[in-house]
Amino acid sequence: MELQFVANKANFMEPQPDSILVGLLVLFFYSLPILLLIATWIIGRTIEKRHYQDIRQREDRWHQVPATNGKPTPDLPQIASSELVVGSVVVSVDHFKRWLTGFRKIFGGEMKSYSSVIDRGRREAILRMKEACPEADMFVNCRIMTSTISNGKGKAIGCSEVLAYATALRFQPSDE
Amino acid sequence: MILTNIESIPSKNIVEHYGLVQGSTIRAKHVGRDLMAGLKNIVGGELKGYTELMKEARQQATDRMVEQAQELGANAIINVRFTTTSVSQGAAEMLAYGTAVRCE
């Protein structure tokens, strides 16, 4: 009986490939949150960079067309038609940025990681609004609105919607 | 039906006002979209499924507003405004309102 116990113990002390595997798995399991943070940081940053590139390209295409948030001035050319245009986008922050805000909330101050997300959303919404009427000559009375759809407490998905709308004007083609 | 969000319709004259018209809808997201959005939420960026959903909801609110204006005999709506409110976690209300007018 005694002997058998000792033998069992000796068997246990020997490093088995099985126990190494288990150890690695446990290590992997505990480092999973950190791995997720790193992965989302890299992926999130790549997505953001690409999105900004896309936004800049499209903004260049549109910068000839004026957009104001005022009424149409009386000195405009003869207006042929007008229509309401709407553009909207729902954005959310990545896992890494959400984690960062935990620290930011201790010290206060600007949440740069969040402002870039909303900035992207707003510019995207304005571009979509403009793209809704590609032949427009001017956009007047542009309004931008941001609203929280859900604040992400518990299991809910935190996201905000940015909405931009305006009246697109088309001028009568001049005879000259 | 002409919609604008300014006080007039350029190139047209307003001959009659019919007052305020509005349309609204409250939408909840469904599970399938929630699942995809949940995955997308990890890496951030646009949640396309939700954008579609909001677009549909806004279109419906606008359609209801237009319907109401047509019942009044209007052929245009001016000063259109949109608002979005989250009524409860995961459900949003879309409201579109404006002034129904007849123009020539």
Side-chain angles (χ1 to χ4, degrees):
Chain A
M1 199 69 177
E2 184 83 4
L3 264 174
Q4 202 176 6
F5 179 70
V6 169
N8 260 348
K9 202 171 183 187
N11 202 20
F12 181 74
M13 293 302 270
E14 238 172 74
Q16 283 178 341
D18 252 17
S19 64
I20 293 169
L21 196 73
V22 168
L24 276 176
L25 265 176
V26 167
L27 198 71
F28 176 73
F29 211 72
Y30 276 103
S31 62
L32 208 59
I34 300 160
L35 287 178
L36 189 67
L37 274 182
I38 294 167
T40 53
W41 177 53
I42 293 166
I43 297 170
R45 218 175 54 158
T46 317
I47 290 176
E48 182 164 282
K49 224 179 245 174
R50 237 182 257 165
H51 193 199
Y52 263 129
Q53 227 167 15
D54 182 49
I55 286 174
R56 261 183 234 116
Q57 264 177 16
R58 282 152 72 202
E59 274 177 353
D60 278 349
R61 220 174 301 151
W62 277 103
H63 90 270
Q64 301 284 348
V65 184
T68 73
N69 63 348
K71 288 176 208 169
T73 45
D75 58 328
L76 288 178
Q78 190 73 39
I79 291 160
S81 73
S82 57
E83 64 169 295
L84 189 75
V85 284
V86 184
S88 75
V89 59
V90 177
V91 287
S92 81
V93 293
D94 59 59
H95 184 71
F96 177 71
K97 286 183 174 179
R98 220 169 298 135
W99 177 75
L100 268 188
T101 51
F103 291 106
R104 180 51 80 194
K105 275 177 189 160
I106 303 170
F107 305 110
E110 192 197 350
M111 304 218 293
K112 283 214 184 81
S113 54
Y114 270 47
S115 25
S116 82
V117 171
I118 300 287
D119 175 61
R120 262 162 68 201
R122 192 163 297 136
R123 283 160 80 173
E124 177 75 38
I126 293 171
L127 282 168
R128 281 189 189 170
M129 175 193 88
K130 287 178 173 175
E131 276 156 9
C133 186
E135 60 274 8
D137 292 307
M138 193 179 182
F139 294 93
V140 292
N141 212 8
C142 299
R143 296 287 147 113
I144 302 168
M145 193 179 77
T146 314
S147 60
T148 308
I149 299 173
S150 72
N151 56 14
K153 267 187 194 140
K155 272 190 177 176
I157 297 158
C159 51
S160 319
E161 194 207 18
V162 184
L163 167 71
Y165 57 105
T167 301
L169 300 179
R170 267 198 286 171
F171 300 144
Q172 214 116 59
S174 52
D175 302 326
E176 307 157 77
Chain B
M1 186 66 75
I2 304 166
L3 303 177
T4 71
N5 72 342
I6 46 182
E7 290 93 47
S8 60
I9 299 160
S11 74
K12 288 205 163 113
N13 285 328
I14 291 163
V15 288
E16 208 167 344
H17 276 260
Y18 294 98
L20 204 64
V21 285
Q22 50 154 313
S24 76
T25 173
I26 299 179
R27 285 288 184 99
K29 51 202 187 189
H30 66 77
V31 184
R33 265 180 181 150
D34 222 20
L35 201 71
M36 283 312 291
L39 289 178
K40 192 73 211 292
N41 198 36
I42 299 170
V43 291
E46 188 193 346
L47 306 177
K48 288 219 174 70
Y50 283 5
T51 306
E52 275 310 300
L53 198 72
M54 297 300 260
K55 226 179 184 173
E56 274 167 32
R58 187 158 299 115
Q59 193 56 51
Q60 193 178 26
T62 313
D63 288 347
R64 283 181 182 169
M65 177 179 73
V66 167
E67 215 172 274
Q68 205 181 342
Q70 271 164 349
E71 271 171 28
L72 294 170
N75 64 358
I77 303 172
I78 56 169
N79 240 334
V80 176
R81 295 279 182 271
F82 292 109
T83 62
T84 315
T85 336
S86 99
V87 197
S88 74
Q89 195 66 260
E93 192 210 12
M94 299 280 159
L95 171 67
Y97 59 101
T99 309
V101 295
R102 196 156 59 83
C103 65
E104 269 165 12

